[in-house]
Amino acid sequence: MDIDCLPIAKTGYFSKLICDYIAKDAKLKPLYNRFPDVEGFKGQLEEKGKHFSQVQRNVLHASMLKQYKNTDTSEGTATNIELLKEKNTFTIVTGHQLNLFTGPLYFLYKIISTINLTTQLKKEYPNSNFVPVYWMATEDHDFDEINYFNFKGLKFQWNKEASGAVGHLTTEGLDEVFTLFAKSIGDSKNANVLKQLFEEAYLKHNNLTDATRYLANEIFKDYGLVIVDGDDIDLKKSLVPYMKKDIFEQTAFDKVSETIKEIEQISTDYPVQVNPREINYFYLKEGIRERFIESKGAFVVNDTNISFTKEELIDEMDTHPERFSPNVIARPLYQEVILPNLCYIGGGGEIAYWLELKTAFEALNVPFPILLVRNSALIISGKQADKLERMNISKSDIFLKQNSLINKKIREISNIDIDFSPQKKLLEEQFKEMYALAERTDKSFIGAVKAQEVKQKKGLDALEKRLLQAQKKKLKDHVVRMTELQNEIFPNQSLQERQSNFSVFYLEYGEDLVPMLFNALEPLNLSFTVITQD
């Protein structure tokens, strides 16, 4: 296995905001607490230690024991759950939707980044304990975002009428997905492991929450991963004071709105990731997850006949906190209230919206975590690596937009020079003399000289393009091979990790896949990892 690291900014797949954050651009410093490096964790340990009580630890520990009651818990995970009671134990968290069969490959990258960081921090700070946590987004209601996965150009989709929190959905209908998937992957040893994993997770569990817990636990239980479901009445009791601040005082709305204005002033290249609402909570009951709207002194649940007076809503929060579900603005706060957390690991889009939240956390006296962009990686097989070498395509070249890659390589391999830069330079020299002549004789002539220069440069550009097109036709076979290879490595001309399911690579590497990724991914190395197999 060969590992290369490319600067994130050179890949062309990350926003300017994330590239600037990774580069520690000074103008972004007000948006985060501490930078994700070893030194930054020292201060975070001290701050979080002062703000997380033994009572909070006991509630968390008791909830985890309940949540794991029917799960085959590994020794490592059981130990980590017990460690949560200790005052010197802290968590590193990543979160993800309940995507079918893990969804995109980066599901693995998120969790592996999290586990690897806890291992590294234990070496740096041996007097503390670090527990890796996967937060299941069981309360999301965006079923269309999670009901499929991609496998070698095929889309396996769970067709089902769905409403409310996805974690509550029954697994009915997934037997049909299993049958189609099983037929598509063959009967090799690795294929049979995948079939068993899918069957055990989705056909032997009654709801999507339990199925996802089983799946993530099976893949990562040997690494001590703790899986947290926030849809938990005891955990939500701790959130009630913050719910009231949000709903009745609009604390989050005011603070996040101010921060968004500041971000827009920093740079117009930083688009707003999410906008806060006046109320950042949904009402959650069987088949319902709808947002609250304040209207004429009442608190109405959107698209329903449910409404509350202020007093009724306070009573509902105190009596049934499990019926209140945080949205994308409030969920990060919930996480930090119930966990002794130091760091959140997420993708670029997630980190972008976390950067809007710091002042809201400060207003509520909750420590703001370190934000770490998860590891991103590209897996190149030995066969693909051989093709790249034969075509003299470098690891950085393969990230070019397809047209740019083709143009660059055609220029390199062509037996004629398709770069007219020398001719353009000579043309500019000739026109310098004409500009000088116009200055000495008739200055009104300068405009005509300029127009003629532009016309002749455009002519050279047109000739260069025609010549390049002619060479593309002449070298058509090479263009086709380059295009096919890049499309194979970048499905749908997107990052592999955002398109392909882990099963594609498990078929090839089997039980070596996860250890290979653990060895390759370094969470505090803020680069893009290219993994080339021998």
Side-chain angles (χ1 to χ4, degrees):
M1 182 175 69
D2 184 35
I3 299 172
D4 294 283
C5 293
L6 299 177
I8 288 287
K10 296 291 185 183
T11 67
Y13 284 97
F14 294 83
S15 70
K16 179 170 171 49
L17 175 63
I18 293 304
C19 292
D20 288 349
Y21 176 65
I22 288 172
K24 298 179 75 169
D25 191 316
K27 62 179 177 285
L28 292 177
K29 183 63 183 78
L31 303 180
Y32 61 90
N33 193 4
R34 295 178 179 87
F35 194 74
D37 53 28
V38 170
E39 185 59 31
F41 281 94
K42 182 179 180 181
Q44 200 72 24
L45 278 163
E46 294 173 359
E47 183 180 11
K48 191 68 181 185
K50 293 175 182 176
H51 280 80
F52 204 76
S53 69
Q54 190 61 48
V55 171
Q56 290 169 291
R57 290 184 179 280
N58 293 341
V59 169
L60 176 62
H61 174 258
S63 288
M64 289 302 95
L65 290 178
K66 281 190 211 170
Q67 290 189 19
Y68 271 85
K69 185 170 61 175
N70 298 317
T71 301
D72 179 19
T73 310
S74 70
E75 183 179 343
T77 297
T79 297
N80 280 340
I81 289 172
E82 290 305 307
L83 283 174
L84 290 172
K85 292 188 296 184
E86 305 299 324
K87 65 179 182 180
N88 63 335
T89 296
F90 300 89
T91 61
I92 304 296
V93 177
T94 193
H96 198 64
Q97 295 169 299
L98 306 191
N99 290 76
L100 186 60
F101 211 41
T102 76
L105 182 59
Y106 68 74
F107 173 84
L108 268 64
Y109 298 167
K110 276 185 165 184
I111 294 176
I112 290 170
S113 297
T114 302
I115 296 169
N116 276 350
L117 182 55
T118 60
T119 301
Q120 184 176 353
L121 289 175
K122 184 62 178 176
K123 292 176 182 176
E124 299 289 343
Y125 302 100
N127 294 328
S128 296
N129 303 309
F130 303 92
V131 173
V133 168
Y134 160 46
W135 180 288
M136 294 192 294
T138 57
E139 296 178 38
D140 277 4
H141 58 249
D142 296 319
F143 180 67
D144 291 342
E145 292 185 5
I146 67 159
N147 68 345
Y148 69 93
F149 64 95
N150 298 315
F151 174 84
K152 294 186 176 180
L154 300 174
K155 183 177 182 179
F156 291 93
Q157 184 167 318
W158 181 18
N159 296 311
K160 180 185 180 75
E161 290 293 324
S163 62
V166 294
H168 297 174
L169 295 175
T170 69
T171 51
E172 182 183 1
L174 282 171
D175 53 338
E176 297 173 13
V177 178
F178 172 71
T179 300
L180 292 172
F181 181 55
K183 287 180 180 177
S184 300
I185 62 175
D187 287 307
S188 66
K189 176 186 174 184
N190 293 339
N192 287 328
V193 172
L194 289 171
K195 291 175 193 176
Q196 183 179 3
L197 187 60
F198 191 107
E199 190 172 13
E200 292 287 337
Y202 295 104
L203 307 190
K204 296 186 179 180
H205 290 87
N206 295 326
N207 60 62
L208 194 56
T209 292
D210 291 344
T212 305
R213 182 187 292 279
Y214 174 86
L215 183 63
N217 185 63
E218 278 300 300
I219 297 172
F220 293 110
K221 65 183 179 182
D222 291 342
Y223 300 92
L225 181 69
V226 174
I227 302 165
V228 174
D229 178 8
D231 190 6
D232 180 302
I233 185 171
D234 294 319
L235 295 178
K236 282 191 175 176
K237 286 176 183 176
S238 302
L239 187 62
V240 170
Y242 302 94
M243 293 181 194
K244 293 175 181 177
K245 286 273 189 182
D246 184 289
I247 295 172
F248 302 126
E249 299 180 28
Q250 299 186 347
T251 304
F253 176 75
D254 292 340
K255 292 300 180 181
V256 176
S257 296
E258 290 172 9
T259 301
I260 287 173
K261 288 179 182 177
E262 291 175 16
I263 292 172
E264 290 173 335
Q265 290 172 356
I266 292 172
S267 174
T268 55
D269 293 324
Y270 298 161
V272 175
Q273 194 68 23
V274 292
N275 284 294
R277 295 188 180 278
E278 285 83 355
I279 298 174
N280 293 288
Y281 285 86
F282 295 92
Y283 194 58
L284 181 66
K285 290 185 80 172
E286 194 62 41
I288 297 174
R289 187 178 185 249
E290 294 289 344
R291 61 191 179 92
F292 281 102
I293 302 170
E294 186 176 4
S295 177
K296 299 177 182 178
F299 295 88
V300 178
V301 179
N302 193 44
D303 288 339
T304 73
N305 295 321
I306 303 170
S307 68
F308 300 89
T309 64
K310 181 176 180 179
E311 291 73 22
E312 289 170 340
L313 191 61
I314 291 171
D315 181 64
E316 186 78 352
M317 278 187 272
D318 291 336
T319 308
H320 295 289
E322 76 279 8
R323 294 179 182 173
F324 292 77
S325 176
N327 73 358
V328 68
I329 293 290
R331 191 211 60 78
L333 179 76
Y334 178 30
Q335 170 190 298
E336 298 303 312
V337 165
I338 66 170
L339 295 175
N341 193 46
L342 303 176
C343 173
Y344 182 76
I345 298 179
E350 291 175 280
I351 299 304
Y353 75 69
W354 272 87
L355 289 169
E356 300 176 9
L357 305 179
K358 179 169 172 273
T359 54
F361 273 71
E362 290 172 342
L364 296 167
N365 196 32
V366 176
F368 194 61
I370 289 174
L371 304 177
L372 177 60
V373 181
R374 66 166 173 82
N375 285 126
S376 282
L378 175 67
I379 302 172
I380 298 176
S381 69
K383 190 181 293 185
Q384 291 168 337
D386 289 342
K387 290 179 181 178
L388 289 172
E389 187 174 358
R390 285 199 301 271
M391 286 188 275
N392 196 29
I393 299 174
S394 70
K395 302 288 172 57
S396 56
D397 283 345
I398 199 68
F399 282 86
L400 292 171
K401 298 301 180 187
Q402 196 159 92
N403 196 50
S404 298
L405 172 65
I406 292 169
N407 288 346
K408 180 180 180 184
K409 301 315 293 183
I410 290 299
R411 290 177 191 277
E412 288 178 6
I413 65 177
S414 179
N415 56 6
I416 60 173
D417 193 354
I418 314 178
D419 184 2
F420 284 7
S421 297
Q423 287 84 353
K424 291 173 188 175
K425 189 173 182 181
L426 180 61
L427 189 66
E428 289 172 358
E429 291 296 326
Q430 291 173 338
F431 271 91
K432 277 183 184 178
E433 295 179 13
M434 297 188 72
Y435 282 122
L437 181 62
E439 284 283 351
R440 293 197 303 269
T441 54
D442 185 356
K443 290 187 177 181
S444 65
F445 189 51
I446 291 175
V449 174
K450 180 66 176 174
Q452 190 64 30
E453 181 186 17
V454 170
K455 181 179 179 181
Q456 291 193 34
K457 280 185 175 179
K458 283 183 178 179
L460 283 174
D461 287 338
L463 287 172
E464 188 176 334
K465 286 178 183 177
R466 285 190 63 181
L467 188 57
L468 185 60
Q469 286 301 117
Q471 284 300 98
K472 283 182 184 179
K473 289 179 182 178
K474 186 176 178 180
L475 300 168
K476 183 180 178 182
D477 288 346
H478 200 89
V479 171
V480 168
R481 282 186 283 124
M482 275 194 297
T483 302
E484 288 178 347
L485 181 57
Q486 192 185 46
N487 287 344
E488 191 179 302
I489 296 174
F490 291 85
N492 295 324
Q493 296 187 32
S494 178
L495 284 179
Q496 178 191 83
E497 63 183 34
R498 299 177 187 172
Q499 297 289 321
S500 298
N501 183 258
F502 85 99
S503 57
V504 175
F505 302 94
Y506 194 92
L507 277 180
E508 184 168 356
Y509 305 116
E511 61 185 16
D512 294 332
L513 175 63
V514 172
M516 176 184 83
L517 295 175
F518 268 102
N519 289 331
L521 302 180
E522 299 179 24
L524 297 184
N525 179 1
L526 303 179
S527 302
F528 193 101
T529 305
V530 180
I531 305 167
T532 306
Q533 286 299 101
D534 299 329

